[in-house]
Amino acid sequence: KNYRQKPVAITHPTVPTVRELLLTLGILGIATAVGWVFSRLGFIDANIIAVYLLSVLLTSIFTSGYTCGILASFLSVILFNYFLTEPRLSLLAYDSGYPITFAIMLGIALLTGTLAAKLKAHAQLSARDAYRTKLLFDMNRQLQKAETPEEVYRITATQIQKLMQRDILIYPVQGGVPAQGIIYPADGSSPYSAPDTDREQDAIRWVWQNRKRAGATTQNFPKAKRLYLAIRTGQQIYGVVGIPMEKQTQPDAFTSSVLFSILGECALALESLRNAEEKEKAAVLAKNEQLRANLLRSISHDLRTPLTSISGNADTLLHSYAALDEQTRKQISVSYTHLTL
């Protein structure tokens, strides 16, 4: 959980810093002092060599890259030869077997330092993967509970802040055009509207129209203070995110990959909300059509019975008028009048 507080770089050969060089020399100095004590106490050379191998291992653990580990491997052999073999304070050796000892010691030291550096690199990669997985899992879990686009944008800004510790600017796309921008402060305070006088509106519109990144660290609007990225799925764009870039430094590959994953999750959540809204509208229309059909059937049924009676009475009067007496004619007429009303 503390990964972003102390970001670690993947181990690779680099130029060591002064602090790392001093640390390397300090560890080797302590190893030499311990070896001198062991020599005075009559310990065999194997114990002293083990101390130097331990110093190489510690150097590889507490420094970055392979450089200090390799340097410690060579220096440990030289220090052992110079201080702890006869003749003292000389790189010569009386014993004919020492050159082979030195070679084996150097090989073991190099192997130990290299393996330690590789294990450290794998641990750092595992830390990155674990951090990315946790970040995306937390975001996905929160997005599942989001009910409005505003909640989705807020969750997205929060996750980007965890990754980059900066204020996040989001321009939602409403009605096919960017709406009022919202700034989410990195300190966790309440979001507020971005000023309409923002001088980087051209970059924002360009990202909205082209669905590509622009602004700081890019070839499009490179003088902008923010890096602008599109929240999109395919050709459908849902918003534009602005991230301040310090000293125009481009995010590393890991940060970029996590950032794009966050924006992808955001776009999918917004698309799900839009699909749910469209589905709800379609359901309302279908229900209205069903009510309309039921109303028409009810009206048709209510009108069918009196119309049948009216039609029967009219047909009787039309074809059997002469055969009917006056009383019957009057009853049929009265009945016809009531049905008509």
Side-chain angles (χ1 to χ4, degrees):
K1 64 180 180 180
N2 296 326
Y3 175 80
R4 294 312 303 179
Q5 297 178 5
K6 295 182 179 180
V8 289
I10 296 303
T11 303
H12 54 81
T14 57
V15 178
T17 63
V18 175
R19 176 184 174 278
E20 291 176 337
L21 289 176
L22 293 176
L23 180 62
T24 301
L25 294 176
I27 293 175
L28 292 175
I30 295 174
T32 302
V34 173
W36 184 83
V37 173
F38 282 4
S39 178
R40 289 293 182 180
L41 295 175
F43 288 11
I44 61 175
D45 291 343
N47 292 325
I48 300 174
I49 292 174
V51 172
Y52 277 110
L53 293 179
L54 177 61
S55 68
V56 173
L57 181 61
L58 292 175
T59 300
S60 299
I61 292 175
F62 291 111
T63 60
S64 61
Y66 297 96
T67 309
C68 288
I70 295 174
L71 179 62
S73 301
F74 283 100
L75 289 178
S76 63
V77 175
I78 294 174
L79 291 173
F80 175 66
N81 184 18
Y82 189 78
F83 289 104
L84 302 174
T85 60
E86 296 293 342
R88 308 276 184 183
L89 304 180
S90 173
L91 295 179
L92 299 176
Y94 290 151
D95 194 331
S96 60
Y98 269 130
I100 297 177
T101 302
F102 295 154
I104 295 175
M105 180 180 174
L106 178 61
I108 296 175
L110 289 173
L111 181 62
T112 302
T114 303
L115 289 177
K118 287 185 177 180
L119 288 175
K120 187 177 179 181
H122 285 301
Q124 293 166 355
L125 285 173
S126 299
R128 282 187 167 189
D129 292 340
Y131 177 78
R132 174 175 182 165
T133 301
K134 182 180 183 302
L135 191 68
L136 297 179
F137 175 77
D138 290 344
M139 180 176 183
N140 185 269
R141 183 178 57 184
Q142 294 177 34
L143 288 177
Q144 289 179 356
K145 301 177 182 179
E147 299 179 354
T148 63
E150 289 73 18
E151 292 184 37
V152 174
Y153 291 126
R154 179 184 55 79
I155 294 171
T156 301
T158 301
Q159 298 304 107
I160 297 177
Q161 287 169 352
K162 291 181 181 179
L163 180 67
M164 307 186 72
Q165 293 83 42
R166 300 173 189 176
D167 295 347
I168 304 300
L169 172 62
I170 297 181
Y171 280 85
V173 173
Q174 298 177 355
V177 296
Q180 178 68 42
I182 302 174
I183 296 178
Y184 297 86
D187 57 8
S189 57
S190 300
Y192 58 91
S193 300
D196 296 332
T197 57
D198 195 326
R199 299 180 179 180
E200 300 182 359
Q201 293 295 324
D202 292 339
I204 297 169
R205 282 192 292 269
W206 190 92
V207 173
W208 165 63
Q209 294 172 353
N210 296 274
R211 277 71 169 166
K212 297 179 181 179
R213 71 176 73 181
T217 73
T218 68
Q219 296 180 351
N220 301 305
F221 304 95
K223 295 183 179 180
K225 295 181 179 180
R226 300 186 187 95
L227 171 64
Y228 294 98
L229 303 170
I231 303 175
R232 66 184 182 89
T233 56
Q235 293 301 316
Q236 181 64 41
I237 186 168
Y238 295 96
V240 177
V241 175
I243 305 172
M245 289 290 108
E246 298 176 357
K247 299 179 181 179
Q248 302 294 312
T249 302
Q250 187 172 1
D252 57 28
F254 172 76
T255 302
S256 297
S257 65
V258 177
L259 179 59
F260 287 129
S261 298
I262 291 175
L263 295 180
E265 291 284 340
C266 175
L268 290 176
L270 292 171
E271 186 175 34
S272 298
L273 289 178
R274 189 189 68 170
N275 292 338
E277 184 179 358
E278 292 179 352
K279 184 177 180 180
E280 184 178 355
K281 290 180 179 179
V284 171
L285 290 176
K287 186 176 182 179
N288 290 339
E289 287 295 324
Q290 183 66 32
L291 291 174
R292 178 174 174 272
N294 292 338
L295 179 61
L296 290 176
R297 282 195 297 269
S298 178
I299 294 174
S300 176
H301 178 270
D302 292 341
L303 291 177
R304 188 178 297 115
T305 300
L307 288 176
T308 301
S309 299
I310 292 173
S311 176
N313 291 335
D315 184 72
T316 301
L317 290 174
L318 181 64
H319 295 91
S320 304
Y321 185 83
L324 298 174
D325 55 27
E326 186 65 25
Q327 185 65 27
T328 302
R329 293 173 187 169
K330 185 180 292 186
Q331 289 179 355
I332 292 176
S333 299
V334 171
S335 175
Y336 177 82
T337 303
H338 285 313
L339 290 173
T340 302
L341 296 174

